[in-house]
Amino acid sequence: GQQVMQIPQYQHVQEGEDFTTYCNSSTTLSNIQWYKQRPGGHPVFLIQLVKSGEVKKQKRLTFQFGEAKKNSSLHITATQTTDVGTYFCAGISGTASKLTFGTGTRLQVTL
Amino acid sequence: SAVISQKPSRDICQRGTSLTIQCQVDSQVTMMFWYRQQPGQSLTLIATANQGSEATYESGFVIDKFPISRPNLTFSTLTVSNMSPEDSSIYLCSAILEGVLFFGSGTQLSVL
C-alpha cells in the first residue's frame, strides 16, 4: 500500500532559525496537503498543493510539490515559538478518496 | 469550514467493556472518517463512515471490534468493543469538506 515518509522525525531549533520538513510518497500523488497539530490538539489544515512543481507561501511558510508529484516540502523561515507542533503531510493517490498521512515531523522551538 | 464536536473528550475504561464515541458536524458532509493516533505517532485510518451504507474498514480493523454508525449526513459514532489495554489511544473523527479534512478534538481512551 501507499506509504508516506517524512524526515526528520524531530527537530529542535532556536527561535529565528529556519526549519524544513520533507515528505516522500511511495506512489504518485494527485494532491498533497499539509496539517499542523499542536501539542494536545488535533490536526489543522494548512494548505493543499495540486500541480507538479507548485510552490505556495503563507507568511513565513513555503510549501513545494515536487515535479514528479511524489514529494513535498514545508519550509519555515525564522521560526517562532508559535510554530511548535507536529507537521504532517497527507496525500491522495490515484482514484482513492482517502488521505494517507505521513509519519510527521515534530518541531520544537526554544528561545 | 466545518466545526466538529466529538465526545467524550477522554475516558478511562475497564478491560472487556465497550465505549461509543460520538461525532457531530455542523454541516452536511458526504464522507466522515475515524482515525486512531498513538502518542507521538501519525494518524491511522480505521474506517470511512458512509451514510446509508456500511462503513469501509482499513486493513487490520474489523467491524466486530469497531462498529460504526452513520445515521445521517451530520453524525457518526464509533464503538470500541471488548476493550483491551492495546486499545488505549486517541480516536479522532473527521469530515471532508471541499477536499479538506476537518477534525474533532479527539477522544483520549485509556483501558485498564
Side-chain angles (χ1 to χ4, degrees):
Chain A
Q2 180 187 14
Q3 291 187 327
V4 183
M5 306 296 292
Q6 286 181 249
I7 54 171
Q9 185 176 359
Y10 169 75
Q11 188 153 6
H12 182 182
V13 300
Q14 298 282 328
E15 189 177 48
E17 293 181 337
D18 292 355
F19 160 78
T20 304
T21 172
Y22 299 91
C23 173
N24 294 286
S25 171
S26 59
T27 60
T28 301
L29 302 170
S30 55
N31 69 51
I32 194 153
Q33 299 180 2
W34 284 90
Y35 291 78
K36 177 183 178 180
Q37 185 175 25
R38 293 182 185 274
H42 58 273
V44 174
F45 173 78
L46 292 177
I47 207 160
Q48 175 174 274
L49 305 169
V50 179
K51 299 176 183 177
S52 169
E54 188 171 15
V55 177
K56 286 188 176 180
K57 293 189 176 184
Q58 285 181 350
K59 297 183 180 178
R60 294 177 296 103
L61 278 61
T62 301
F63 304 84
Q64 187 165 5
F65 201 7
E67 293 291 340
K69 301 184 77 173
K70 294 183 71 174
N71 57 74
S72 181
S73 64
L74 159 59
H75 179 81
I76 302 178
T77 303
T79 55
Q80 300 176 358
T81 54
T82 53
D83 296 324
V84 165
T86 300
Y87 293 84
F88 293 100
C89 63
I92 293 179
S93 179
T95 58
S97 57
K98 58 186 181 184
L99 281 169
T100 298
F101 277 80
T103 48
T105 296
R106 186 163 70 92
L107 172 64
Q108 180 64 260
V109 181
T110 52
L111 296 172
Chain B
S1 66
V3 176
I4 302 180
S5 302
Q6 184 175 340
K7 59 180 181 182
S9 58
R10 62 178 64 229
D11 207 341
I12 301 173
C13 301
Q14 295 297 319
R15 182 195 299 260
T17 63
S18 297
L19 175 72
T20 296
I21 303 168
Q22 298 181 3
C23 185
Q24 178 76 51
V25 188
D26 69 343
S27 55
Q28 293 186 338
V29 291
T30 304
M31 300 179 75
M32 294 181 69
F33 305 89
W34 288 95
Y35 286 88
R36 185 169 71 183
Q37 186 177 31
Q38 305 282 10
Q41 301 297 312
S42 185
L43 289 80
T44 300
L45 181 63
I46 297 172
T48 302
N50 307 303
Q51 197 271 328
S53 63
E54 281 195 0
T56 306
Y57 289 84
E58 298 301 306
S59 176
F61 298 96
V62 295
I63 187 171
D64 289 346
K65 176 68 176 177
F66 297 101
I68 287 171
S69 78
R70 181 83 197 275
N72 56 52
L73 290 174
T74 63
F75 187 78
S76 178
T77 68
L78 169 75
T79 298
V80 186
S81 303
N82 189 24
M83 289 183 284
S84 67
E86 292 70 37
D87 295 320
S88 297
S89 188
I90 296 172
Y91 293 84
L92 291 153
C93 74
S94 66
I96 196 160
L97 193 64
E98 297 180 357
V100 175
L101 268 183
F102 295 91
F103 287 87
S105 53
T107 296
Q108 185 171 345
L109 172 61
S110 298
V111 184
L112 304 178

